[in-house]
Amino acid sequence: MKIFPLGKNSITLSFVGVITIGFFVAGLFEILDYFIVKALLFTCFGVLLLIAISYALKNDNKKNRPED
């Protein structure tokens, strides 16, 4: 059993967790007002959003039933 499986879902969930914790910690310590912190967090969010959209567009439907 692997502690950290390296599938697409686990990597994406890890990135989402890191970004969420980043927003929380930055807001908690009141450093979210700095431009560089905002730029870094929103850039990470934008990249994650673009990756999610690209995977959604690549996803093709597979039918379980054979064609007649």
Side-chain angles (χ1 to χ4, degrees):
M1 180 173 124
K2 293 182 181 179
I3 295 175
F4 297 110
L6 294 177
K8 289 180 188 176
N9 291 335
S10 63
I11 293 173
T12 305
L13 286 174
S14 299
F15 281 133
V16 168
V18 167
I19 292 170
T20 303
I21 290 171
F23 273 111
F24 180 74
V25 170
L28 187 66
F29 291 119
E30 296 179 359
I31 60 171
L32 194 57
D33 294 334
Y34 298 133
F35 176 74
I36 193 70
V37 175
K38 284 183 186 178
L40 179 67
L41 288 173
F42 282 112
T43 302
C44 290
F45 178 73
V47 167
L48 187 65
L49 187 66
L50 289 175
I51 291 171
I53 289 172
S54 69
Y55 278 127
L57 292 176
K58 285 183 192 176
N59 192 9
D60 44 329
N61 295 330
K62 295 180 181 177
K63 295 182 181 180
N64 288 335
R65 297 182 182 177
E67 303 249 348
D68 289 333

